[in-house]
Amino acid sequence: MDFVMKQALGGATKDMGKMLGGEEEKDPDAQKKEEERQEALRQQEEERKAKHARMEAEREKVRQQIRDKN
């Protein structure tokens, strides 16, 4: 019977304590990891914006060349 219960619950047995109102495990490096994650997201967003700005500048250059030909 234990085998059947383990199969039915799958990997959720680790989280059962949390679901039943138990304490969550505290990661001592959680704050540092979150700060690093936020910094990485900010950096990716800046890189994305810079890339789009370069692409738009290139498009505008092509548009101006087309205008000048006419």
Side-chain angles (χ1 to χ4, degrees):
M1 187 67 172
D2 288 333
F3 176 75
V4 174
M5 288 300 291
K6 286 180 183 177
Q7 288 296 102
L9 291 174
T13 55
K14 294 176 186 172
D15 297 328
M16 286 300 287
K18 291 184 222 173
M19 286 187 241
L20 297 173
E23 293 279 329
E24 288 188 30
E25 294 178 19
K26 301 290 181 185
D27 185 3
D29 296 330
Q31 180 69 22
K32 183 178 177 183
K33 288 178 184 177
E34 180 62 21
E35 289 173 3
E36 289 174 355
R37 188 182 71 82
Q38 290 292 335
E39 176 64 25
L41 287 173
R42 188 184 61 74
Q43 185 176 1
Q44 288 174 348
E45 182 67 15
E46 287 176 2
E47 290 172 0
R48 185 188 69 80
K49 286 181 180 182
K51 177 183 174 184
H52 286 281
R54 285 191 308 269
M55 291 170 61
E56 186 58 32
E58 183 64 31
R59 288 185 191 115
E60 187 55 39
K61 182 177 165 185
V62 170
R63 289 182 196 122
Q64 192 58 45
Q65 288 174 348
I66 292 170
R67 289 183 200 118
D68 292 342
K69 287 182 183 178
N70 293 331

